[in-house]
Amino acid sequence: MLFLFPLAFVSCDLGGEHYSRYYDYVDIDELSIPDSAMTGDTVPVYARAGAPNGCWSELELYCYPYNDTLYLVNASGLYESYDGVCPEIYVTKDSTFRFIPDTAGIYIFAAQSRSKPVMFDTLVVMPER
């Protein structure tokens, strides 16, 4: 019986295993909006997010106003791994937001990423005729 006792401790040893789990920003790979629209039009704002490996999941995209004419687009996801081992796949998610301008003017959409420079796209909104 004393022979089996040390084996029980070795087989249950979890030392060396490192588990990571957190939410963080991911990159916006693409941002696309029409060049122009009229007030009251429904304008599609398309964005695609990407994360570098298969440890990322639950990607979510967001589009929200920063002020009257500047809108931010960003994305986050869940990173989860044991010992940093991740499948070598690129994880993506896309979304189309509906933007309905009620005032004529120039609207700027800024796509914020974790590791890429900010991407800008501009929408010119003309008054309804």
Side-chain angles (χ1 to χ4, degrees):
M1 191 65 152
L2 286 175
F3 175 74
L4 295 176
F5 191 66
L7 286 176
F9 283 119
V10 172
S11 65
C12 293
D13 180 22
L14 296 177
E17 195 170 288
H18 178 69
Y19 175 69
S20 294
R21 183 178 196 272
Y22 57 88
Y23 286 89
D24 204 351
Y25 288 105
V26 296
D27 290 338
I28 298 292
D29 295 330
E30 185 178 347
L31 176 65
S32 177
I33 61 174
D35 292 333
S36 62
M38 305 286 277
T39 55
D41 286 351
T42 299
V43 179
V45 177
Y46 173 81
R48 186 181 71 234
N53 58 55
C55 284
W56 290 91
S57 64
E58 299 180 22
L59 299 186
E60 292 293 329
L61 288 101
Y62 309 97
C63 181
Y64 52 93
Y66 181 77
N67 60 33
D68 290 343
T69 59
L70 177 63
Y71 286 77
L72 303 179
V73 178
N74 54 42
S76 66
L78 171 65
Y79 177 87
E80 190 169 22
S81 79
Y82 287 93
D83 291 328
V85 177
C86 302
E88 291 188 30
I89 59 169
Y90 194 71
V91 179
T92 63
K93 181 171 183 180
D94 64 343
S95 188
T96 301
F97 302 97
R98 294 183 351 207
F99 174 68
I100 304 173
D102 58 0
T103 306
I106 297 174
Y107 293 85
I108 299 170
F109 290 81
Q112 302 173 303
S113 291
R114 177 187 169 117
S115 64
K116 294 181 177 183
V118 176
M119 275 188 282
F120 295 97
D121 207 342
T122 303
L123 171 68
V124 177
V125 176
M126 296 168 280
E128 196 172 11
R129 295 179 207 204

